[in-house]
Amino acid sequence: MRNKSLLLEDLKSKIARIEGVNPTFDGARDDRLRFHVKSLDDAFTQGGLPLNALHEIVSNGRDNGAASGFLTALLAQIRTQRQGPVLWLQSVSGVAEKGAPYGPGLSVLGLEPSCILFAETARLKDALWALEEAATLKGLSAIVADLHLINKTLSLKESSRLHLRAEANETPVFLNLSGMA
């Protein structure tokens, strides 16, 4: 029987082939956010969080603040690798559930509020439309949608479209979701 590390390497290689990428990581690309913690970086196929993909962070109730803090810390690290502002979208229900980002708190986590474009929509449908359109824009370092889904989930079709746009535009899209069923 093969040991666990060989099985893990084999699995990573298979996933990389499915994704259509070179399974040997050369370290020269900047399309990954590296955490510089070997065990964490090794958990990703090519040594870090892909910066050309859709990522979902899901929280409910008490852990909404922790999820937003984690996301803010990720954005601060991304801004060390990429130029351009961060677009942060919120629906009114998201603001009502989680509150709006607090400038001094963002600064403490390393993300200067002056590099963020904030937008708020009245309806979830409008936020998803704005998110999809934003994912086609050049010049953004990252896109965040802070959404409260009120006992719903995004459809596979919606998630797939967002992921394809993030991949084509090479811009990370983060969904900070709460209230899911």
Side-chain angles (χ1 to χ4, degrees):
M1 181 165 175
R2 299 163 64 184
N3 70 32
K4 289 181 183 180
S5 64
L6 287 176
L7 285 172
L8 183 60
E9 290 305 313
D10 185 47
L11 182 60
K12 285 181 183 180
S13 180
K14 286 178 183 177
I15 291 170
R17 282 194 302 278
I18 291 168
E19 291 177 343
V21 296
N22 183 347
T24 58
F25 176 64
D26 62 9
R29 297 168 51 170
D30 68 348
D31 63 347
R32 305 272 171 199
L33 176 62
R34 291 174 220 329
F35 299 97
H36 305 290
V37 176
K38 183 171 175 23
S39 60
L40 187 54
D41 286 338
D42 287 350
F44 293 96
T45 305
Q46 289 192 343
L49 184 74
L51 293 180
N52 59 346
L54 172 67
H55 303 283
E56 295 183 13
I57 300 168
V58 179
S59 63
N60 281 302
R62 297 188 308 233
D63 56 355
N64 289 344
S68 294
F70 172 71
L71 175 58
T72 301
L74 285 178
L75 293 170
Q77 288 302 307
I78 290 169
R79 292 267 307 143
T80 66
Q81 289 182 225
R82 295 183 170 219
Q83 298 297 312
V86 171
L87 177 61
W88 194 306
L89 297 166
Q90 284 189 295
S91 63
V92 170
S93 62
V95 173
E97 175 67 18
K98 302 184 209 180
Y102 180 61
L106 295 172
S107 294
V108 166
L109 292 172
L111 186 63
E112 287 306 314
S114 61
C115 73
I116 304 173
L117 304 171
F118 290 104
E120 186 178 308
T121 64
R123 301 178 303 170
L124 176 63
K125 180 180 178 180
D126 297 332
L128 291 172
W129 176 85
L131 176 62
E132 200 168 317
E133 291 301 311
T136 65
L137 297 174
K138 297 288 184 193
L140 296 172
S141 59
I143 302 166
V144 173
D146 209 348
L147 305 174
H148 184 65
L149 297 181
I150 312 170
N151 296 319
K152 296 187 331 188
T153 59
L154 290 182
S155 71
L156 181 58
K157 182 179 176 182
E158 291 167 323
S159 293
S160 295
R161 272 199 324 253
L162 287 170
H163 176 74
L164 290 172
R165 288 191 177 192
E167 188 175 49
N169 203 25
E170 298 182 346
T171 302
V173 175
F174 294 93
L175 297 179
N176 191 15
L177 304 173
S178 66
M180 294 177 64

